[in-house]
Amino acid sequence: MSRRTNAQATSRKNGGQHAWQRKMLTKLVRDEKAIFRSRDTHAFLQGMDLFDSKPELLLLLTDSRNCGEARLRECLSMITGPESADSIMAPILSNLMSSDTLRPLHKARRKMAVVMIYNVPGLIQFLAEDWAKCINLSSNETVCIICQFLIEASLSLVEARCSQDVGTIAKSMKKSTQIDTKLSHKLCAILQLVDTPDLKMSPKPKTSANTAVCWGADLEPPGGRHDNDHPNYRDISLVPTKDELAYTGRSWLPLASGENRCVQDLDQCLLDKNFRLLREDAVGAMRENITDPRPSKVWKNARIIGASCKDVRNPRGTAPLHFLVQVDPYEGKSMNWQRQRAFPPDGLVAFYDDVGKQHIMATIYVRMLDQPGEWLLHSGGPIIGVVFHHDNDVRTAISDISANKDINERFQEIFNVTKENRDIEEITQLKSSFKTYSLIEVSDSFFSYRPVLESLQTMVSVPLSQEIVHIERHHDRPLYLPRTVKLPSDFNSVEVDLDDWSNQSVMQSTTLDESQSRALGMALTSRVALIQGPPGTGKTFIGSLIAQIIRDNSDESILCVCYTNHALDQFLEHMLKRGEKRLVRIGGRTKSEALKKYELKALSKKERSLSVSDADKRMRSVVAQMHQCKDEITELLQTLQLPLEWEHARDVLENSNLAVNFEIIHHDGFAVVGRNNTKIDEDYLFSSWKRGEECPEWLQESLEVEETDNLWLLLPAQRLERINEWKQLQSEEMNEMIQTARQRYEDLSAEKVDIGLEIDSYILEKARIIGATTTGAAKYRDLLSLKSASVVIVEEAGEVLEPHVLTSLTENKENSEETKHLILIGDHLQLRPKLESYSLTKVSGNGFDFDISLFERLIHSGFDSAMLGVQHRMKPCIADLIRRQTYPSLQDHPSVASYPDVRGVPDNLLFIDHANFENGADDLATTKSNPFEAQLCVEIVRYLLLQGYAHSQVTILTPYVGQILTIVKEMRRSMNDVNTFVSELDQAELLRDDADIEDIELHAEKMGNKQIRCSSVDNYQGEECDIIVISLVRSNKYGGIGFLKEEQRVNVLLSRAKHGMFIVGNAATLRSSSKGNHVWKPLLDMFQSQGRIVKSFPTVCQLHPMDGTTYCRTVQEFRTHRPNGGCNRPCSARLECGHACPLMCHPTDQGHLITH
């Protein structure tokens, strides 16, 4: 036989052997009756090694319909000593945790496998006890894969993070020379075992000398205050527990100075700090809503009446197990509930019993009959679906359903009849019979916190740590860029040397000014670059230019992150204009028609590549399993609501040897029959016994022989007592089955999400520019880490909380590369990030300073930055205000000097002074209003519209959302053909104050383009308008000016106008403020010296300017002296019909087309 023939024979033999081993593995996993023997271990491991597709192997072993978990446990139980780590444990981990299983498609299954292996009895204890020997007897690869396994287990399981055995192994690994130090450091960091006291702390931010620090419990390290207070922040449940919310003491919170830090490793300290403070911002607001709830957020007689896994919005879809809760209709002040956003999906609610003790926390999943407002009109009260987060709460809810079942059925019957025929007395009686709670809406914004908090808990390190954590500038520039880069064609395609950057050379070769050139150079030569952009200096322009240069000179992808959808749209539109088509916008809230086709959802529907077919197949399989699981849960829930029947009583009775009381003994194949030849079986006998009937004679004889309790001797009351006992046992058993099915359903649901990310990842792979809001970037963190965008550009960086920036960065992992380049563009002298809890802010003086952005923290720590120095927005007289107050070196671009003057007004900048007091008794109210200012602002706007300005050219700004509503009502009262446009953010603020926004929304829909924007200052940053009318609102005797004492807010307020700005306020109140005098006195002195403080609004007739200035202050004066925007002279122009124009002087409609 030839050598070739021998080789072929050997190959066939090996192939047959390999096929047999794979087949044996599959049989062992799928056949629950198969017996696993010690000699099968080698073949089992060989079968795993020979599986060509590791993802298919992972799916086989983790499928709940197979016996994969049992087989892994049996195989690992064959470990007999330290040498087995190499021969048994390492092969299993290497196969299931291979690089092929890292994609989102396999994430859920990989996690399930890790949990299965971790939970093998005695395995971790064995590793801890014999780890020293394991290291000596095992290869480096084995030690590394075990370390990676413990990392993933510790990220997934609280038990692993709290395990002393895992801690022991981690400490040993840290000392070992056989393992990559980065890997062991990562494990120790997750467990918070890293101790690096030699590392110096970052420089303290500059603080005012009078900063007060709240000590007390802050010095006590975290852990033990309540059931959700843990030393390791990764162990903290995101949804607060009832024990946590009931705790009245102070929580441990990290101070900005780091004086009370409990984590020595600086990276982990930063992650810990941002997680705890961000969560406290959410939970602190919840505590306030619980202790002092708004009347409209409290709902009476909440009762749990059912449960479902059905998706009411999509009958073919799947939904989590949610419980149906019905509440009484709201009986407070009259509100149009069809316009109110009560019970928003993803909001949190708390159930309180009749003594005011918190019982359960839950998340709102759905509002039943969710048409606008209709669900609130449901007969008997609104119904919502909520998801509980803890097993005990689910058990309680199931118990409530059973208790309320019969009462609810009668309750719904009554409400199905006409209102006139309802028995009110019976309704009242039924309501008192329900097991009920008071339901409080505690948060409608927690959904926006959750993605960021979840991402922080999974982060192990801080990318770009040298700059972000240690405040040290890296000596190298971003090395992915070549030394010489070419600027875009509209900048003459100039080539610049990054290692020898010359501002002068760039300025001479392009249209960039010196500050823009400096900012561009810093962005391209620093791994972390800070660019400060005062108002109107073109932050979006420079950001999009930087992105284009990076795109044109490298192969790296760029992630642009913005705080608001508006800013994100602006940036991405700039990139479209620069010719970028490989663009993806994550999230679906764009208002730009040009960007809608670039949304991730739209692209996913449009393009499905062939490589997605595996994901589609898995998706169908997972959805099918979810439907099976849903049906199982539904059947179990229905069974629990039924009376106890023999089918379910049999198991309980057999366990206690009582089933013989209902056994039928067949003789010679004959059946036992009763009256009318009715067949008698166990079910018949059990039903007879429940009805209180006596034992049949033929059964009595057999029971006398059996050694068991004779249940037929029990009295009816005793029988009922036994039935209730058995029902309770049945309920406990079925509760466990429901919990198991629910957990399986949730695992499948998580896998479904991961498969969706896998499909999206194919779309993202083609993109060069990716845009997301800060919340979107955290929500899609896993997806973005696959893309591994090397460059992150953060717009509005001064307004973005630090944790939002951290979670936008990518860590260095097996399936992703660390972010190489971070560019922060913003202005820390404008608005700081918004917080729910005032106590966490810098101005509160408590020392937490959580609203200090990463951008501001780095600048205050002395990190290099570049400032854009030329503004292109405001006329020079308006820019003088912020130049005097905040930016002394700010220059005006020549173009702003040629901006037109405001028509019909003798000056472009005015302060209209008055002494009409605000509404509100003191300075403690959260929002204020001033009817006089609202009326005057509306009249000024009306006058400006009569000068020929478009509605989009005029905006009203105010610091208080309460004033927005006052202005809206005044606008509707005095100008029938014009209405105000209020942004969604401001509407949400109004709804928090229980304001009825019907006037805003409904009236605005009818007005088309005839809308004047009315906005709070906080929700107008980054925007501009030709003419701004400002209502300062605050007017009182005691000098209380609230928000107006904050320099950042005033800076934004005074820098939105392009051509003209008219401020209405009380100068005396501003000057007398003890806290805001330093802000307003210099400004008012400037107005005064320029003659720009007036008591009434000055007007000039455009057509007859020589008539001089007329001052108007009241509605009557405006309507009398400027009825049509001009003077009181008759127009007298001859119309086409030959008649004279009947109107008074009017600057608009000079062609008399409208008049005619």
Side-chain angles (χ1 to χ4, degrees):
M1 187 179 292
S2 69
R3 184 177 300 172
R4 182 176 180 182
T5 306
N6 284 333
Q8 289 174 339
T10 302
S11 176
R12 283 195 299 271
K13 181 179 179 181
N14 289 339
Q17 180 76 6
H18 293 171
W20 175 82
Q21 288 170 327
R22 288 195 298 268
K23 186 175 180 181
M24 191 212 75
L25 170 67
T26 303
K27 175 177 172 55
L28 279 172
V29 172
R30 288 183 174 164
D31 186 359
E32 63 180 9
K33 296 180 180 179
I35 300 174
F36 191 96
R37 292 156 297 193
S38 58
R39 65 173 179 267
D40 295 327
T41 304
H42 180 71
F44 186 87
L45 296 174
Q46 283 284 316
M48 292 181 71
D49 288 338
L50 296 171
F51 241 85
D52 295 329
S53 171
K54 301 308 178 187
E56 286 185 17
L57 172 64
L58 183 66
L59 186 62
L60 175 71
L61 288 168
T62 56
D63 193 324
S64 61
R65 297 167 293 186
N66 296 334
C67 310
E69 182 173 7
R71 300 303 177 227
L72 285 172
R73 185 169 60 248
E74 290 165 339
C75 188
L76 288 166
S77 69
M78 301 300 171
I79 293 178
T80 56
E83 67 282 351
S84 301
D86 248 352
S87 60
I88 297 179
M89 189 170 184
I92 290 176
L93 295 178
S94 299
N95 277 292
L96 297 181
M97 297 172 59
S98 73
S99 58
D100 294 340
T101 63
L102 284 170
R103 294 192 65 85
L105 184 62
H106 318 298
K107 177 185 172 185
R109 295 288 174 173
R110 180 172 169 135
K111 179 179 176 180
M112 288 169 63
V114 167
V115 172
M116 284 178 183
I117 295 171
Y118 181 87
N119 287 330
V120 171
L123 178 64
I124 303 301
Q125 184 180 0
F126 153 75
L127 288 175
E129 291 174 352
D130 290 342
W131 185 249
K133 295 179 182 178
C134 285
I135 286 183
N136 293 329
L137 296 174
S138 301
S139 66
N140 290 357
E141 291 77 10
T142 295
V143 177
C144 287
I145 192 66
I146 291 176
C147 185
Q148 183 61 40
F149 159 70
L150 292 175
I151 286 172
E152 295 188 26
S154 297
L155 284 173
S156 301
L157 297 168
V158 175
E159 300 93 314
R161 291 193 294 273
C162 298
S163 167
Q164 291 184 354
D165 290 331
V166 175
T168 300
I169 298 170
K171 290 174 183 176
S172 299
M173 284 182 170
K174 183 183 173 185
K175 298 174 183 177
S176 172
T177 57
Q178 283 184 257
I179 187 170
D180 183 358
T181 55
K182 290 183 179 179
L183 209 57
S184 60
H185 180 86
K186 184 181 290 188
L187 176 58
C188 290
I190 296 169
L191 303 176
Q192 292 196 349
L193 298 175
V194 179
D195 186 9
T196 53
D198 55 314
L199 288 175
K200 64 179 181 180
M201 287 184 60
S202 58
K204 296 179 184 179
K206 298 175 183 177
T207 56
S208 58
N210 61 351
T211 297
V213 176
C214 289
W215 294 105
D218 287 345
L219 288 175
E220 296 290 334
R225 290 176 175 81
H226 48 74
D227 64 358
N228 201 26
D229 182 35
H230 303 286
N232 192 332
Y233 79 91
R234 294 181 180 89
D235 297 341
I236 297 173
S237 167
L238 298 188
V239 177
T241 63
K242 60 183 178 182
D243 190 32
E244 178 182 9
L245 290 173
Y247 178 69
T248 56
R250 290 180 58 83
S251 301
W252 182 89
L253 293 173
L255 295 165
S257 64
E259 294 169 68
N260 67 336
R261 75 180 188 187
C262 61
V263 181
Q264 291 300 317
D265 180 79
L266 294 185
D267 280 43
Q268 298 306 308
C269 185
L270 186 68
L271 295 173
D272 178 276
K273 166 192 165 185
N274 279 281
F275 175 87
R276 291 183 190 274
L277 292 179
L278 181 64
R279 186 175 179 277
E280 176 62 23
D281 190 45
V283 175
M286 293 182 203
R287 290 195 197 98
E288 291 180 12
N289 290 335
I290 287 173
T291 55
D292 186 22
R294 296 183 181 277
S296 62
K297 300 298 183 183
V298 181
W299 301 79
K300 301 295 184 182
N301 285 324
R303 54 262 181 200
I304 302 173
I305 59 173
S308 174
C309 287
K310 294 180 180 178
D311 187 343
V312 295
R313 293 161 293 195
N314 178 14
R316 295 184 178 181
T318 55
L321 174 61
H322 54 278
F323 291 83
L324 305 182
V325 181
Q326 188 169 35
V327 296
D328 283 356
Y330 183 74
E331 296 179 353
K333 71 176 184 179
S334 177
M335 287 189 183
N336 187 343
W337 284 102
Q338 289 187 333
R339 308 300 299 179
Q340 294 294 315
R341 297 169 186 171
F343 293 129
D346 294 321
L348 284 180
V349 291
F351 291 74
Y352 277 74
D353 59 21
D354 54 1
V355 294
K357 185 176 180 181
Q358 186 200 344
H359 195 62
I360 302 175
M361 288 286 290
T363 300
I364 301 168
Y365 170 70
V366 69
R367 304 184 295 198
M368 307 307 289
L369 304 174
D370 200 0
Q371 300 299 322
E374 286 186 20
W375 67 280
L376 280 159
L377 304 178
H378 191 283
S379 62
I383 298 178
I384 59 173
V386 303
V387 175
F388 296 112
H389 303 278
H390 303 290
D391 290 348
N392 288 337
D393 296 339
V394 172
R395 291 189 183 95
T396 300
I398 292 172
S399 174
D400 282 6
I401 295 173
S402 300
N404 291 333
K405 177 180 177 293
D406 295 336
I407 308 168
N408 183 60
E409 287 177 356
R410 177 57 188 153
F411 189 77
Q412 300 302 330
E413 286 176 8
I414 294 175
F415 276 90
N416 284 333
V417 304
T418 59
K419 191 172 183 179
E420 296 77 16
N421 295 327
R422 292 173 187 166
D423 188 335
I424 304 301
E425 186 176 337
E426 185 179 3
I427 291 174
T428 305
Q429 184 179 358
L430 287 171
K431 281 186 177 181
S432 65
S433 302
F434 277 115
K435 182 177 179 181
T436 62
Y437 307 90
S438 290
L439 196 65
I440 301 178
E441 297 180 61
V442 297
S443 175
D444 59 2
S445 59
F446 187 68
F447 69 92
S448 64
Y449 288 85
R450 184 189 288 273
V452 184
L453 292 171
E454 287 176 338
S455 295
L456 286 169
Q457 284 188 318
T458 60
M459 288 184 72
V460 178
S461 61
V462 178
L464 301 168
S465 173
Q466 182 173 332
E467 293 88 347
I468 292 175
V469 179
H470 303 286
I471 322 295
E472 297 173 358
R473 186 181 177 89
H474 199 279
H475 63 276
D476 290 330
R477 61 174 175 80
L479 297 179
Y480 70 88
L481 285 170
R483 174 172 176 171
T484 302
V485 298
K486 182 183 289 187
L487 302 190
S489 57
D490 49 342
F491 290 88
N492 303 322
S493 300
V494 174
E495 292 188 352
V496 293
D497 187 341
L498 296 185
D499 290 340
D500 187 22
W501 184 271
S502 170
N503 290 331
Q504 199 64 33
S505 174
V506 173
M507 290 167 59
Q508 291 174 353
S509 307
T510 67
T511 57
L512 296 176
D513 61 49
E514 183 180 3
S515 66
Q516 290 172 324
S517 173
R518 191 185 312 112
L520 184 61
M522 174 160 285
L524 298 177
T525 59
S526 306
R527 292 204 318 167
V528 175
L530 309 180
I531 299 175
Q532 183 188 356
T537 53
K539 293 185 286 294
T540 302
F541 165 79
I542 201 71
S544 61
L545 175 60
I546 292 166
Q548 184 178 3
I549 293 171
I550 292 172
R551 179 201 66 181
D552 294 344
N553 290 274
S554 74
D555 296 326
E556 304 295 344
S557 53
I558 302 167
L559 170 64
C560 174
V561 180
C562 298
Y563 176 66
T564 64
N565 282 288
H566 172 77
L568 181 61
D569 286 347
Q570 278 188 326
F571 182 90
L572 295 179
E573 284 175 344
H574 269 269
M575 295 309 302
L576 280 179
K577 291 175 183 176
R578 292 184 180 277
E580 182 55 66
K581 301 300 181 186
R582 289 178 296 172
L583 182 151
V584 175
R585 189 193 193 280
I586 292 177
R589 301 193 65 182
T590 181
K591 293 185 178 179
S592 168
E593 290 298 325
L595 290 172
K596 285 186 176 177
K597 64 180 180 181
Y598 294 100
E599 288 183 340
L600 180 59
K601 287 184 179 179
L603 292 170
S604 294
K605 289 179 181 178
K606 181 180 178 183
E607 298 180 20
R608 285 293 183 93
S609 63
L610 292 175
S611 57
V612 182
S613 59
D614 286 343
D616 281 336
K617 182 179 178 181
R618 280 281 301 283
M619 180 69 85
R620 288 193 294 271
S621 172
V622 167
V623 170
Q625 292 179 63
M626 289 180 73
H627 279 293
Q628 291 175 358
C629 206
K630 179 184 73 173
D631 293 341
E632 180 183 343
I633 293 172
T634 302
E635 184 179 348
L636 287 169
L637 288 169
Q638 289 173 347
T639 301
L640 277 174
Q641 311 313 312
L642 298 174
L644 185 66
E645 301 295 343
W646 174 251
E647 178 185 356
H648 301 105
R650 180 193 291 114
D651 294 337
V652 176
L653 294 173
E654 284 179 349
N655 291 336
S656 54
N657 198 30
L658 295 174
V660 294
N661 282 274
F662 309 103
E663 282 184 355
I664 303 294
I665 300 175
H666 299 280
H667 297 281
D668 302 326
F670 290 95
V672 180
V673 295
R675 298 187 187 116
N676 301 322
N677 289 328
T678 303
K679 182 181 178 181
I680 294 178
D681 55 15
E682 286 86 349
D683 184 50
Y684 178 90
L685 286 175
F686 187 68
S687 298
S688 300
W689 179 82
K690 287 197 300 181
R691 289 193 300 268
E693 296 181 10
E694 294 182 356
C695 180
E697 291 182 11
W698 55 268
L699 180 58
Q700 184 67 42
E701 295 175 1
S702 62
L703 288 177
E704 290 174 357
V705 178
E706 298 286 345
E707 294 182 1
T708 184
D709 292 341
N710 190 338
L711 298 177
W712 293 90
L713 300 178
L714 299 177
L715 299 174
Q718 293 172 316
R719 295 185 185 189
L720 181 59
E721 187 177 329
R722 284 295 186 97
I723 290 171
N724 290 335
E725 288 177 9
W726 299 336
K727 183 66 177 176
Q728 180 62 32
L729 289 172
Q730 181 209 23
S731 297
E732 291 174 2
E733 181 183 347
M734 289 198 166
N735 261 313
E736 291 303 319
M737 295 170 67
I738 290 172
Q739 297 289 8
T740 302
R742 171 173 159 262
Q743 185 59 55
R744 190 163 69 250
Y745 189 90
E746 289 180 356
D747 291 341
L748 289 167
S749 181
E751 186 174 1
K752 180 185 173 186
V753 172
D754 290 337
I755 295 171
L757 291 179
E758 176 77 12
I759 295 171
D760 289 339
S761 71
Y762 291 109
I763 305 298
L764 220 58
E765 279 178 3
K766 305 172 187 176
R768 288 296 307 278
I769 304 292
I770 304 160
T773 61
T774 52
T775 303
K779 183 178 180 180
Y780 290 91
R781 177 174 168 77
D782 287 342
L783 178 64
L784 291 170
S785 67
L786 281 176
K787 178 62 177 175
S788 295
S790 298
V791 185
V792 177
I793 298 176
V794 182
E795 287 264 348
E796 307 174 304
E799 203 179 356
V800 178
L801 286 168
E802 182 164 342
H804 288 256
V805 178
L806 295 179
T807 53
S808 300
L809 307 179
T810 306
E811 294 177 83
N812 186 17
K813 296 181 180 179
E814 289 181 274
N815 63 338
S816 63
E817 295 182 8
E818 182 176 310
T819 300
K820 301 174 182 176
H821 198 177
L822 172 63
I823 301 166
L824 302 174
I825 305 174
D827 185 9
H828 60 291
L829 300 179
Q830 296 187 57
L831 291 177
R832 284 184 172 136
K834 291 182 183 178
L835 295 182
E836 293 284 342
S837 300
Y838 174 78
S839 62
L840 299 179
T841 63
K842 169 77 172 176
V843 296
S844 73
N846 289 336
F848 303 118
D849 300 353
F850 187 47
D851 60 341
I852 298 293
S853 64
L854 173 63
F855 183 87
E856 183 174 359
R857 177 170 71 82
L858 292 178
I859 284 183
H860 284 172
S861 298
F863 207 81
D864 290 343
S865 64
M867 188 177 89
L868 300 173
V870 181
Q871 69 90 13
H872 301 248
R873 175 184 294 165
M874 299 159 277
K875 287 181 75 75
C877 65
I878 300 173
D880 284 342
L881 296 175
I882 60 172
R883 212 171 356 249
R884 167 67 180 78
Q885 194 77 354
T886 312
Y887 312 100
S889 62
L890 185 64
Q891 301 175 29
D892 298 325
H893 190 269
S895 62
V896 299
S898 60
Y899 280 174
D901 293 327
V902 178
R903 299 191 290 269
V905 185
D907 204 336
N908 300 305
L909 177 64
L910 292 167
F911 188 102
I912 300 97
D913 189 20
H914 71 90
N916 294 272
F917 287 168
E918 67 202 42
N919 283 353
D922 52 42
D923 198 39
L924 299 178
T926 56
T927 190
K928 300 283 184 178
S929 63
N930 192 312
F932 170 81
E933 288 191 9
Q935 194 175 77
L936 181 53
C937 287
V938 168
E939 286 304 310
I940 292 173
V941 167
R942 177 181 177 276
Y943 175 76
L944 292 171
L945 294 178
L946 291 172
Q947 305 309 306
Y949 287 105
H951 296 75
S952 60
Q953 290 181 280
V954 184
T955 292
I956 302 176
L957 284 188
T958 179
Y960 292 91
V961 291
Q963 183 71 345
I964 292 177
L965 197 58
T966 305
I967 291 170
V968 167
K969 292 178 179 178
E970 179 62 27
M971 186 81 73
R972 187 173 188 182
R973 186 189 66 80
S974 61
M975 299 172 68
N976 291 327
D977 61 337
V978 179
N979 197 44
T980 47
F981 163 70
V982 179
S983 70
E984 291 182 5
L985 291 172
D986 281 326
Q987 289 183 36
E989 293 288 336
L990 285 166
L991 284 171
R992 288 188 181 186
D993 295 328
D994 288 343
D996 189 349
I997 64 171
E998 180 181 7
D999 287 348
I1000 295 173
E1001 294 184 304
L1002 291 182
H1003 199 54
E1005 292 169 2
K1006 300 175 183 177
M1007 292 301 163
N1009 294 324
K1010 289 188 175 182
Q1011 297 179 21
I1012 295 294
R1013 174 78 181 271
C1014 186
S1015 176
S1016 66
V1017 181
D1018 289 12
N1019 291 323
Y1020 203 71
Q1021 178 160 318
E1023 301 190 52
E1024 61 184 27
C1025 193
D1026 288 349
I1027 302 173
I1028 297 288
V1029 179
I1030 297 174
S1031 170
L1032 295 179
V1033 180
R1034 303 312 304 268
S1035 178
N1036 50 66
K1037 294 179 180 179
Y1038 53 87
I1041 63 173
F1043 296 142
L1044 295 176
K1045 68 178 179 289
E1046 298 173 20
E1047 295 179 55
Q1048 288 92 343
R1049 188 169 273 107
V1050 174
N1051 183 20
V1052 174
L1053 183 70
L1054 300 179
S1055 58
R1056 303 301 99 194
K1058 297 174 67 178
H1059 303 163
M1061 181 168 66
F1062 307 114
I1063 306 171
V1064 181
N1066 185 329
T1069 297
L1070 298 172
R1071 287 183 184 275
S1072 63
S1073 169
S1074 60
K1075 296 182 178 179
N1077 177 270
H1078 69 287
V1079 177
W1080 284 99
K1081 185 180 182 301
L1083 294 172
L1084 292 170
D1085 288 346
M1086 180 184 292
F1087 275 104
Q1088 190 75 52
S1089 65
Q1090 297 170 354
R1092 286 184 162 128
I1093 295 183
V1094 295
K1095 295 295 184 182
S1096 300
F1097 188 72
T1099 63
V1100 175
C1101 179
Q1102 289 189 56
L1103 303 179
H1104 309 97
M1106 300 305 293
D1107 287 357
T1109 302
T1110 299
Y1111 289 87
C1112 301
R1113 184 179 178 86
T1114 64
V1115 175
Q1116 185 177 359
E1117 288 174 350
F1118 274 99
R1119 303 300 170 97
T1120 301
H1121 301 305
R1122 301 298 186 210
N1124 297 313
C1127 58
N1128 282 329
R1129 297 187 187 187
C1131 177
S1132 302
R1134 193 62 55 183
L1135 305 179
E1136 288 184 12
C1137 60
H1139 296 93
C1141 176
L1143 302 177
M1144 293 296 183
C1145 178
H1146 51 97
T1148 57
D1149 191 27
Q1150 287 297 294
H1152 290 85
L1153 298 176
I1154 298 175
T1155 308
H1156 182 70

